Amino acid sequence: MASKAAAVAVDFTRIYSSLGLGKETISALQAFRKRHSEAQRLSHAFASQPTTVNFDHYRSVLKNQAIVDEAEKLLKDFKPVTYDVNSHIKAIETFEATAVAKAKETEEKIDIELQQLQETLDNIEQARPFDQLTVDDVAKAHPRIVETVETMLKKGKWTVPGYKEKFGDLNLM
């Protein structure tokens, strides 16, 4: 009974989105949930059906008593077939192991990403405001800018390619 309450309390859509699971993991979980709910529905439907047969009723209704006797004999001689479910259990255990392994992989990736985001946030918080930066600070952060400017000066290029197209020409003359 506690498992039913726990199953109802689980918000799977939130789990799918918050854990960042892969598409194949989510689809496998959804397929498993669908099969499980269908099996539960069938189990409840069959459990509510009567399990005994009233042969006296059929004897009073049917004229052919031999058919009723044969049906009663067949029912008494019936032995249900037993199935070996070990292969299904192994498949479920394999699926579970795969799901746990993928969950651990996802957890590691998320931890690394969180660590990188924390470092980025720390860098943003410690950075100086843009209006306080100097040309030397920018050159120190991106040395390619200095190289590009020096190359342009050596070649005698005084305009940045694409600047006029993007920002327009502000010359009044």
Side-chain angles (χ1 to χ4, degrees):
M1 195 63 153
S3 64
K4 286 183 183 178
V8 171
V10 174
D11 184 10
F12 282 99
T13 55
R14 184 170 163 225
I15 289 173
Y16 298 151
S17 61
S18 65
L19 291 180
L21 300 175
K23 290 181 180 180
E24 59 189 32
T25 305
I26 291 173
S27 64
L29 282 172
Q30 288 173 337
F32 178 76
R33 285 184 56 216
K34 182 179 177 183
R35 289 191 314 266
H36 177 261
S37 63
E38 182 65 18
Q40 277 187 325
R41 185 188 65 77
L42 288 173
S43 174
H44 292 304
F46 290 134
S48 65
Q49 293 179 350
T51 57
T52 59
V53 178
N54 186 358
F55 288 104
D56 294 331
H57 169 72
Y58 289 109
R59 280 193 182 94
S60 66
V61 174
L62 297 174
K63 293 180 182 177
N64 190 348
Q65 301 294 316
I67 291 177
V68 178
D69 293 336
E70 186 178 338
E72 187 174 15
K73 181 181 175 260
L74 286 173
L75 185 64
K76 287 180 182 177
D77 293 341
F78 176 74
K79 299 268 191 277
V81 177
T82 58
Y83 290 101
D84 183 22
V85 294
N86 288 332
S87 62
H88 294 290
I89 291 173
K90 287 179 184 177
I92 290 171
E93 289 173 351
T94 304
F95 172 77
E96 181 181 1
T98 305
V100 168
K102 289 202 181 240
K104 287 182 181 179
E105 273 182 38
T106 304
E107 180 186 19
E108 291 172 3
K109 287 179 184 177
I110 289 173
D111 287 343
I112 290 170
E113 189 174 336
L114 282 174
Q115 191 176 25
Q116 291 172 345
L117 289 172
Q118 186 61 42
E119 289 173 6
T120 303
L121 184 61
D122 291 341
N123 285 341
I124 290 171
E125 289 173 349
Q126 294 173 357
R128 286 188 292 173
F130 184 75
D131 57 352
Q132 293 178 6
L133 289 178
T134 63
V135 173
D136 292 333
D137 293 334
V138 174
K140 185 178 176 184
H142 296 286
R144 282 190 57 204
I145 294 175
V146 174
E147 293 171 10
T148 304
V149 170
E150 287 176 357
T151 304
M152 288 174 64
L153 289 175
K154 286 178 186 174
K155 292 182 179 180
K157 293 184 179 181
W158 302 100
T159 59
V160 178
Y163 183 85
K164 286 184 181 180
E165 290 81 11
K166 188 169 185 179
F167 299 107
D169 192 4
L170 300 176
N171 290 335
L172 296 175
M173 294 184 200

